[in-house]
Amino acid sequence: MATLEQCRSALDKLAENLVSANGDLRSAAALDRSVSCWITDLDTTFAGRLADSRIENVTTEPGPPAERAQIRLAMTGDDLVALVDGELHFARAWGSGRIKLEAGLRDLLRLRKLL
C-alpha cells in the first residue's frame, strides 16, 4: 500500500508533468478549476487548484473531500502512484471503476487529452 508521502510525491510529479506539457496537452491543462483527489485506502484528500497548467495551493485533509471541487478524483494510493508512473492506463482504470472522476461535461472533454 502506498504511503501518504508516496502519494504526495506522485501528485508533485503530476504537477511537474503538467507544467512541462506542450501543445494540446498544455492547452487541455490550462483550466482554472478547484480539484480534489481522495485517496480511499488512506482516507485522505488532497485539494488544490488547477490554474495555468499548474496544481497550486495543495492541502491535505483527513477523510473524503469536505467541499465539492469542480474536478474530483477518487482512487487508492497504489493506483495514483501507478497512474503517474505510467504503469496504469487511465481510461481502462476509469472504465473498470478503479478510478473515479467527476467533473462537468466541458471539463471532461478537455481532460480526456490529459488522461
Side-chain angles (χ1 to χ4, degrees), residues 60-73:
T60 306
E61 52 193 58
E67 295 182 23
R68 184 179 164 112
Q70 293 166 305
I71 299 171
R72 300 168 301 284
L73 290 158

Side-chain angles (χ1 to χ4, degrees), residues 8 35 46-51 54-61:
R8 172 60 105 167
V35 295
F46 293 94
R49 184 140 207 100
L50 176 63
R54 297 180 184 275
I55 301 174
E56 303 172 335
N57 304 320
V58 176
T59 60
T60 306
E61 52 193 58

